[in-house]
Amino acid sequence: MRPILMKGHERPLTFLRYNRDGDLLFSCAKDHTPNVWFADNGDRLGTYRGHNGAVWSCDVSRDSTRLITGSADQTAKLWDVQTGTELFTFRFDAPARSVEFAIGDGLAVITTDNFMDNVPTAQVKRIADDPDDQSEEALLVISGIKGRINRAVWGPLNKTIITAGEDATIRIWDTETGTCLKESDKEQGHQKTITSLSKSADWSHFLTGSLDKSAKLWDTRTLTLIKTYVTERPVNAVDISPLLDHVVIGGGQDAMNVTMTDRRAGKFEAKFFHKILQEEIGGVKGHFGPINALAFNPDGRSFSSGGEDGYILHLYPVVLWFAF
C-alpha cells in the first residue's frame, strides 16, 4: 500500500491528533488554520478558521464533537467539529502552547508561554456542555517553571498533570492543590529541551522526546525511567503504538539548516524502535524536512507524520511491516 500524501497546509506542521475512533485526523500548522481529514483515504473534510497565529496543538473530545486548539495569537479556541463553528475563545497574555481535554471532557489544561513579563503557566479550565455557559475563569494555575512548557497532559483519573519543556525537567502536579509531587532525575533525565510527550493507551507510562537526541519511557505514577532510545538526530516528535511493542521517533536538524542539507543526509525519516529491547527495527522515509508531529491511529494499524515541508504522510499497514 502506497503512503497517502495529504497536502492542505501552507506552512510547517506542528501537531497531529486522531479522534478516539481513528476515522478522523486533525492537523495543526503554522499557517493559522487547523484541518480535519478522513484518516482512511486522506481526503480533507474541513478547516477551522479564526486563529491569527501559528496553531501549536489541538485535542478532540471523546465523542468527536468538540475540538480545542492553542495558538501563538494568545488564544485557545473551542470548535464544533462537525460545522467548524467557533464556540468559545480563551484569551491569555501570552501564546497558548499545549492543550488537552481531561477524561470526561469536562476540563482542559492549557499552557501559556513565557512572553514579555509573563511567566509560563499551565491552566485548568472548565469546559461547559453549553457554550453559552462557558467562562474564561481558571480553576487552577500552575506556575514556577523556568522556560517554556512544551507539553502538559493529564495523568490517570485526572488527579495529576504532567508537564515538560525547555528546562528538560518532567514534573507531576496535583490537580487539587497545584503542588509539585515529583520531578524527573537530572542525571537520568533529558539534558536538553523536551519537545514532545505521548501517553500509552492505558496511561501507565509515557514517552518523551528531546533535542538531546534521545527519547525516554517513564512510569506515569512514580516517574521512574524505564527505557531510553538513542538516535542520531534531535527528536521533535514521538508516539507509542497502542497495538505492538513499538515506539516511533521523528526529528531532524534545525529548520534553519534544512536547505543546506541533502534530504538523504538530513535524517528526516520516522524511526521505529522496539519498546522493550530498545533496538531500532525500521524507518519510514518520505519527508524532505524535519518531522514535527507523529501520531499512531488508535487501532495501531497505521500512523501519520507531519513535517517542516508542510506535508502529512499517512502510512499503513504498519503491522505488516514491523510485526515480528
Side-chain angles (χ1 to χ4, degrees):
M1 180 70 71
R2 285 176 64 95
I4 298 172
L5 189 65
M6 296 141 83
K7 177 61 176 170
H9 290 286
E10 299 169 357
R11 298 284 311 282
L13 270 290
T14 56
F15 199 79
L16 294 171
R17 172 79 81 193
Y18 283 94
N19 67 338
R20 179 169 170 261
D21 296 327
D23 59 339
L24 299 177
L25 176 64
F26 297 85
S27 60
C28 301
K30 294 181 181 178
D31 62 4
H32 310 179
T33 308
N35 285 199
V36 59
W37 313 76
F38 280 122
D40 59 347
N41 60 13
D43 287 346
R44 185 162 63 169
L45 187 57
T47 58
Y48 301 91
R49 299 187 181 276
H51 280 299
N52 295 312
V55 182
W56 295 118
S57 65
C58 69
D59 195 18
V60 60
S61 62
R62 188 178 177 85
D63 60 3
S64 299
T65 59
R66 300 275 185 91
L67 179 73
I68 186 171
T69 55
S71 171
D73 65 7
Q74 303 185 8
T75 68
K77 292 181 184 289
L78 278 174
W79 310 83
D80 184 298
V81 168
Q82 187 173 1
T83 64
T85 306
E86 184 182 318
L87 300 176
F88 191 79
T89 299
F90 299 99
R91 302 184 187 280
F92 303 97
D93 296 323
R97 176 75 47 172
S98 173
V99 295
E100 186 176 85
F101 286 118
I103 301 173
D105 301 324
L107 300 170
V109 60
I110 306 169
T111 70
T112 61
D113 290 354
N114 43 338
F115 180 71
M116 307 290 281
D117 294 328
N118 297 292
V119 296
T121 64
Q123 303 185 21
V124 175
K125 305 282 190 179
R126 186 174 300 283
I127 306 298
D129 292 333
D130 186 345
D132 294 334
D133 298 333
Q134 186 66 54
S135 74
E136 291 196 57
E137 181 185 0
L139 302 179
L140 176 70
V141 178
I142 294 171
S143 59
I145 301 173
K146 294 180 180 178
R148 189 173 69 214
I149 306 169
N150 285 328
R151 290 293 289 145
V153 300
W154 293 91
L157 304 176
N158 298 343
K159 291 185 176 180
T160 56
I161 289 173
I162 304 165
T163 62
E166 275 188 337
D167 65 356
T169 304
I170 303 162
R171 295 178 177 86
I172 298 179
W173 305 82
D174 187 301
T175 53
E176 291 289 329
T177 63
T179 56
C180 184
L181 302 176
K182 290 184 176 67
E183 284 191 7
S184 59
D185 184 81
K186 292 257 187 316
E187 291 185 8
Q188 283 191 321
H190 289 291
Q191 303 304 310
K192 291 185 179 179
T193 295
I194 298 171
T195 55
S196 51
L197 190 156
S198 178
K199 295 180 290 190
S200 63
D202 63 0
W203 293 31
S204 64
H205 52 282
F206 63 91
L207 183 67
T208 55
S210 169
L211 298 183
D212 65 7
K213 303 182 181 180
S214 74
K216 293 178 183 286
L217 196 69
W218 307 82
D219 184 283
T220 303
R221 295 184 186 278
T222 64
L223 206 51
T224 304
L225 179 63
I226 304 170
K227 301 287 182 182
T228 298
Y229 313 95
V230 179
T231 181
E232 68 277 4
R233 84 288 310 272
V235 177
N236 298 336
V238 296
D239 203 9
I240 302 171
S241 170
L243 185 62
L244 301 170
D245 285 328
H246 297 164
V247 299
V248 62
I249 297 169
Q253 84 271 47
D254 292 337
M256 60 184 287
N257 298 324
V258 169
T259 54
M260 298 184 286
T261 311
D262 181 79
R263 91 181 154 82
R264 289 165 296 183
K267 303 181 176 65
F268 301 142
E269 67 264 41
K271 292 282 192 181
F272 283 78
F273 285 77
H274 194 282
K275 186 163 71 174
I276 313 301
L277 305 177
Q278 305 175 83
E279 295 174 351
E280 185 180 321
I281 56 176
V284 178
K285 297 180 180 179
H287 289 285
F288 50 91
I291 293 173
N292 295 336
L294 288 167
F296 269 104
N297 191 300
D299 67 8
R301 296 180 176 274
S302 62
F303 85 104
S304 293
S305 59
E308 191 76 19
D309 52 16
Y311 288 97
I312 302 169
L313 279 177
H314 178 76
L315 298 107
Y316 61 94
V318 175
V319 178
L320 297 182
W321 294 352
F322 298 125
F324 67 95

